[in-house]
Amino acid sequence: MFIRTLSLRDFRSWEHAELELSPGRTVFLGANGNGKTNLLEAVGYLAALGSHRVAADAPLIRIGTDRARIGATVVNAGRELRIDLELNQGAANRAQINRSPVRRPREILGILQTVLFAPEDLALVRGDPGERRRFLDELCTARLPRLAAVRADYDRVLRQRSALLKSAGRQARSKAELSTLDVWDGHLATHASVLLAQRLRLVHDLYPYLAQAYSSIAPESRPAAIGYRSASLPPEFLDPARAPQPDDVEALEANMLRELAAARPKELERGVCLVGPHRDDLDLMLGTAPAKGFASHGESWSFALALRLAAFELLRATGAEPVLLLDDVFSELDRRRRTALAEVAAGAEQVLITAAVPEDVPVELSAVPLRVETNGGADGRISRIADQESDAATG
């Protein structure tokens, strides 16, 4: 899989860009603030419908405009598909496949697969559980694009059920309200069971890749392991060595309904939903100790890198090799970690790299350089590719 063309309009600091790309390695060179990362962010957004830097879409739209556009021609096993996405201020985003509109942007998921490693990935180890849940869910969706609809349905039901809990907690609880809550319990359990089954399957499948990747990066360190943490699941489901079962979804749904029933008094008292995958976490272990709080700075970087390399190898094993995105990470890594990442990158079909100076890129990664700079604009930050004609790179 590789990207043949990438186009941007009013995305971040890019007023306009049309890039021709090819398999192999391309490095975007330029000083900090010139817009290099914005290019990789745009590619990652096409793959996951989300940014690795911000939670909302508004910062992605260039200042002074009301919409941004990202487009790419993706080649997979000789087949070309064009995907286009429009991000709108105050309105729904829109998408196209081969210039034809689709009903929902999530219909483009799966056409482009990427694995992005960035300095922000340190939060996978040191950050809040939400960072690790997002890692799980985005990787699950890359493997099974239809899971995006399940995630959206779960989030919608969770919001509505939480609003009902707050309302019921402030006033006398009528039979009608409790009956309505039973209905929402059923909806929540239905969507949660599918999401949980995919998360547990992912942890099982990712485990050996993670252990191998970490061992190759930090052979002198304690062995790395991952596990799924949930206060509402039976212990047998939490063993990462447990193989997925055909009836997992039904068993998880039944368990979810039981846990919701047991938690209802506390939920009504507190007005929040206390049970479900939105409260779970991915355990990262070094030996017998959790990585968060016990890992050194170097071990934390090694674990974050191992998670991304494991994700890359897992997706690669499915037959559709993802595009590897490396956002200014080589300068953050020591020699051993740089070498481990460079070895994987050297064998990838397409790698897009950002770096401040050529020396930041390992010599074994011969790459096509594209220099990124900024022109003066109203806000002083309109990016362009320096070695292209100005009318082709900026508007």
Side-chain angles (χ1 to χ4, degrees):
M1 177 181 295
F2 68 94
I3 300 169
R4 188 170 62 80
T5 67
L6 175 67
S7 61
L8 304 180
R9 170 73 71 176
D10 294 327
F11 182 88
R12 289 281 196 181
S13 60
W14 291 88
E15 187 176 35
H16 180 59
E18 295 286 344
L19 303 180
E20 295 282 343
L21 301 171
S22 60
R25 292 162 293 283
T26 300
V27 58
F28 300 104
L29 294 170
N32 292 337
N34 279 12
K36 309 183 305 294
T37 292
N38 300 344
L39 293 170
L40 268 58
E41 183 180 26
V43 172
Y45 196 103
L46 281 177
L49 295 184
S51 164
H52 70 288
R53 301 159 76 191
V54 293
D57 289 346
L60 308 180
I61 301 172
R62 194 169 64 86
I63 295 173
T65 64
D66 57 7
R67 66 177 55 85
R69 297 182 179 92
I70 318 167
T73 304
V74 181
V75 181
N76 187 7
R79 181 189 180 202
E80 280 195 4
L81 283 175
R82 172 74 188 190
I83 51 177
D84 291 278
L85 190 63
E86 182 180 276
L87 311 181
N88 293 295
Q89 292 271 24
N93 295 339
R94 299 187 294 182
Q96 295 180 341
I97 299 177
N98 288 338
R99 309 295 184 181
S100 296
V102 295
R103 291 182 60 194
R104 298 180 181 89
R106 64 174 179 251
E107 292 181 39
I108 72 172
L109 290 172
I111 294 176
L112 173 63
Q113 289 189 347
T114 64
V115 170
L116 185 148
F117 185 51
E120 290 85 353
D121 281 342
L122 200 59
L124 288 174
V125 181
R126 296 185 167 182
D128 295 332
E131 299 285 345
R132 292 178 286 278
R133 288 195 296 267
R134 178 182 172 187
F135 169 77
L136 286 176
D137 290 344
E138 288 188 350
L139 189 50
C140 282
T141 304
R143 298 212 300 171
L144 187 68
R146 67 176 180 84
L147 193 66
V150 176
R151 291 168 58 189
D153 288 340
Y154 179 82
D155 290 342
R156 174 181 55 81
V157 172
L158 180 63
R159 289 193 300 269
Q160 292 172 322
R161 186 177 183 275
S162 298
L164 180 59
L165 285 170
K166 289 180 181 178
S167 173
R170 289 194 298 262
Q171 56 192 344
R173 299 159 193 169
S174 68
K175 289 184 179 181
E177 286 175 323
L178 297 180
S179 176
T180 302
L181 196 54
D182 288 338
V183 173
W184 287 116
D185 285 1
H187 292 320
L188 195 73
T190 297
H191 302 309
S193 61
V194 177
L195 179 56
L196 283 169
Q198 291 303 319
R199 284 186 183 178
L200 294 168
R201 181 184 297 271
L202 174 62
V203 171
H204 170 269
D205 294 347
L206 191 66
Y207 191 140
Y209 291 104
L210 178 281
Q212 182 178 2
Y214 188 84
S215 177
S216 68
I217 297 168
E220 76 289 346
S221 181
R222 298 161 288 176
I226 55 174
Y228 195 76
R229 185 196 303 176
S230 174
S232 60
L233 287 181
E236 61 268 20
F237 278 98
L238 303 179
D239 182 357
R242 174 187 179 274
Q245 302 298 313
D247 61 347
D248 274 355
V249 172
E250 291 81 1
L252 288 166
E253 183 174 358
N255 179 77
M256 183 79 176
L257 288 170
R258 288 193 297 269
E259 293 293 326
L260 287 169
R264 179 172 291 183
K266 287 185 178 180
E267 289 186 327
L268 287 167
E269 179 181 344
R270 297 175 57 179
V272 295
C273 186
L274 299 175
V275 177
H278 63 288
R279 299 183 66 87
D280 296 347
D281 198 357
L282 177 67
D283 270 334
L284 310 179
M285 303 296 294
L286 285 176
T288 58
K292 183 176 181 179
F294 287 86
S296 67
H297 184 73
E299 287 174 327
S300 297
W301 266 116
S302 293
F303 216 129
L305 177 57
L307 283 169
R308 292 303 188 187
L309 294 182
F312 181 80
E313 295 297 343
L314 179 62
L315 291 176
R316 180 189 247 177
T318 66
E321 182 167 317
V323 177
L324 187 59
L325 309 176
L326 306 178
D327 182 22
D328 199 22
V329 294
F330 287 112
S331 61
E332 299 279 353
L333 304 176
D334 61 17
R335 179 186 57 80
R336 177 174 290 164
R337 297 178 183 92
R338 285 166 61 95
T339 299
L341 182 54
E343 287 176 354
V344 173
E349 184 172 6
Q350 186 178 53
V351 188
L352 304 180
I353 306 166
T354 67
V357 293
E359 292 74 22
D360 284 344
V361 183
V363 293
E364 56 266 42
L365 288 182
S366 57
V368 175
L370 292 176
R371 191 166 297 278
V372 179
E373 60 184 29
T374 56
N375 283 345
D379 63 353
R381 293 186 66 249
I382 296 180
S383 297
R384 66 187 296 267
I385 301 295
D387 59 356
Q388 293 189 349
E389 294 297 326
S390 60
D391 59 8
T394 62

